[in-house]
Amino acid sequence: MRLIGNILWLVLGGLAIAFGWAVIGLALCITIVGIPLGVQAFKMAGLTLTPFGKTVRYGGGFGSTLANIIWVVLAGIWMALGYVAAGLANCVTIIGIPFGIQSFKMAKLALWPFGAQIQDL
């Protein structure tokens, strides 16, 4: 079921969104200051590419929390709201509910990416 979900996800837009995250990650990694942000964008690209069968574990210390607060203020809230809107739109139909759940998972990661680790189930 994970394979079918990931294939449908890729065909219906996941590949384009993952590519966009990868481009953003490359752009952020141009400067030394942007490298930590670029790493988070690559993390989002990896989860966006194949979200079914993966989970996000949150952790980190004070540094991650501080970086997440800055991230939320600068961009995280808007990215998370976009994923929540996509998740709600997906949940309108029964067939779209699994895709909506994946969008909600990505919304949480978009809001709080520092210290998070993506793991296979």
Side-chain angles (χ1 to χ4, degrees), residues 5 24 30 32 66 99 104 111-112:
I24 290 169
I30 290 173
I32 292 174
L66 183 62
F99 298 98
F104 296 140
L111 188 64
W112 208 255

Side-chain angles (χ1 to χ4, degrees), residues 89-109:
N90 281 319
C91 288
V92 169
T93 65
I94 292 174
I95 294 171
I97 290 174
F99 298 98
I101 292 169
Q102 301 309 313
S103 293
F104 296 140
K105 180 182 359 177
M106 286 184 270
K108 187 175 178 185
L109 182 63

Side-chain angles (χ1 to χ4, degrees), residues 71-85:
W71 175 274
V72 166
V73 171
L74 295 178
I77 190 75
W78 300 112
M79 290 187 283
L81 286 174
Y83 277 115
V84 167

Side-chain angles (χ1 to χ4, degrees), residues 18-84:
F19 179 75
W21 275 113
V23 169
I24 290 169
L26 287 173
L28 287 170
C29 286
I30 290 173
T31 65
I32 292 174
V33 175
I35 290 174
L37 302 174
V39 169
Q40 303 316 308
F42 290 132
K43 189 183 299 183
M44 285 298 301
L47 182 62
T48 303
L49 194 58
T50 55
F52 289 91
K54 292 185 180 175
T55 186
V56 181
R57 302 280 183 226
Y58 293 92
F62 177 74
S64 294
T65 302
L66 183 62
N68 278 323
I69 291 170
I70 294 169
W71 175 274
V72 166
V73 171
L74 295 178
I77 190 75
W78 300 112
M79 290 187 283
L81 286 174
Y83 277 115
V84 167

